């Protein structure tokens, strides 16, 4: 049987996977850890905690922040009136299972698109880059009335490219020559660097 956890509880917590050694590689999470820590959140690493500890700390919190994916599913243990912030790591996508949990539990939740994947990305494996996007800036302004956000060190982008190369160099998970890959690459670049929808541009030209 599990022993009762008797440690400290925290009202505001950030669930981080930056110390996780398995699954997809998420670059840039430390930037957001620092921000929330400076705003009164306790950064926790579920992969280094017992289940008893996780349940106690998450169920005790009034506000929980996590990136989208498996780690955000820990919201199952949160209080019904918990304020839940999800940092999207794959554009605006949020797993349907997560939306169902949020709705059934009645959370006050918000999905913030913090993804900056200008290279191929997959929901379940590979590499993703978190970045202080314009949507992040809007959240910071709305929530904390801060008009300026701290810049992100460019080393994260180089780290993202490095891990992307290392992960895919010996795999055949996708074909660089395929039309879908090329279209997806331009779509991402158009959105990230020019705030344009590449697919819409193609459709307009074909009219």
């Amino acid at each position: 049987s599990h022993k009762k956890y008797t440690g400290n509880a925290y009202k505001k917590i950030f669930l981080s996977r930056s110390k996780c050694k398995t699954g997809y590689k998420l670059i840039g999470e430390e930037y957001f850890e620092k921000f929330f820590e400076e705003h009164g959140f306790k950064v926790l690493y579920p992969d280094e905690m017992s289940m008893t500890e996780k349940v106690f700390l998450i169920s005790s919190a009034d506000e929980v922040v996590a990136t989208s994916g498996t780690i955000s599913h820990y919201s199952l243990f949160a209080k019904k009136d918990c304020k839940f912030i999800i940092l999207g790591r794959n554009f605006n996508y949020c797993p349907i299972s997560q939306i169902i949990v949020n709705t059934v539990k009645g959370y006050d939740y918000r999905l913030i698109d913090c993804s900056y994947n200008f290279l191929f990305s997959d929901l379940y494996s590979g590499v993703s880059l978190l970045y202080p996007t314009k949507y992040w800036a809007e959240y910071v302004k709305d929530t904390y009335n801060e008009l300026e956000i701290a810049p992100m060190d460019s080393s994260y982008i180089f780290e993202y490219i490095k891990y992307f190369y290392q992960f895919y160099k010996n795999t055949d998970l996708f074909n660089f020559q395929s039309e879908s890959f090329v279209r997806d690459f331009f779509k991402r670049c158009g959105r990230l660097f020019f705030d344009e929808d590449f697919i819409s541009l193609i459709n307009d030209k074909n009219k």
Side-chain angles (χ1 to χ4, degrees), residues 176-189:
F176 277 106
Q177 306 301 320
S178 69
E179 179 184 356
S180 61
F181 177 86
V182 175
R183 286 167 63 90
D184 187 59
F185 177 77
F186 275 95
K187 179 180 178 181
R188 293 167 186 275
C189 287

Side-chain angles (χ1 to χ4, degrees), residues 116-120 129 157 160-161 185 188-189 192-193:
Y116 213 72
N117 304 319
F118 54 88
L119 299 174
F120 174 84
L129 173 64
I157 295 180
Y160 165 64
I161 296 173
F185 177 77
R188 293 167 186 275
C189 287
L192 296 174
F193 301 123

Side-chain angles (χ1 to χ4, degrees), residues 3-174:
K3 294 181 179 179
K4 184 178 180 180
Y5 180 71
T6 57
N8 295 326
Y10 307 97
K11 293 300 182 183
K12 300 192 291 186
I13 61 175
F14 182 107
L15 301 178
S16 172
R17 69 178 315 281
S18 62
K19 294 186 178 181
C20 181
K21 296 179 175 59
T22 59
Y24 65 88
K25 183 70 176 179
L26 186 58
I27 308 297
E29 188 173 17
E30 294 85 354
Y31 172 94
F32 297 91
E33 287 181 14
K34 181 179 179 182
F35 174 89
F36 282 106
E37 196 167 38
E38 291 174 347
H39 289 78
F41 284 72
K42 177 67 175 179
V43 178
L44 302 175
Y45 305 96
D47 291 284
E48 299 182 342
M49 299 159 55
S50 68
M51 182 56 70
T52 302
E53 188 176 3
K54 291 179 216 180
V55 172
F56 173 81
L57 291 172
I58 295 171
S59 63
S60 300
D62 295 329
E63 294 183 56
V64 177
V65 178
T67 56
S68 59
T70 304
I71 197 166
S72 63
H73 297 341
Y74 283 123
S75 62
L76 279 167
F77 304 124
K79 296 185 293 188
K80 188 172 183 179
D81 58 349
C82 177
K83 186 174 182 180
F84 188 40
I85 302 299
I86 303 173
L87 305 181
R89 61 179 174 85
N90 206 283
F91 293 126
N92 282 319
Y93 179 80
C94 184
I96 297 299
S97 57
Q98 185 66 59
I99 295 175
I100 293 174
V101 171
N102 295 346
T103 303
V104 171
K105 297 276 284 189
Y107 296 142
D108 174 13
Y109 78 95
R110 183 170 180 177
L111 172 65
I112 307 168
D113 185 354
C114 294
S115 62
Y116 213 72
N117 304 319
F118 54 88
L119 299 174
F120 174 84
S121 64
D122 185 88
L123 294 174
Y124 308 105
S125 64
V127 184
S128 292
L129 173 64
L130 288 184
Y131 195 83
T133 61
K134 64 180 181 180
Y135 309 104
W136 168 254
E138 291 171 0
Y139 165 77
V140 172
K141 178 182 177 182
D142 293 344
T143 307
Y144 299 100
N145 198 30
E146 297 179 14
L147 302 181
E148 298 290 333
I149 59 174
M152 189 176 195
D153 194 308
S154 60
S155 64
Y156 284 115
I157 295 180
F158 290 104
E159 186 179 9
Y160 165 64
I161 296 173
K162 180 184 72 174
Y163 276 102
F164 180 90
Y165 172 78
Q166 291 177 333
F167 182 83
Y168 287 108
K169 68 177 180 179
N170 295 319
T171 70
D172 56 358
L173 296 179
F174 61 84

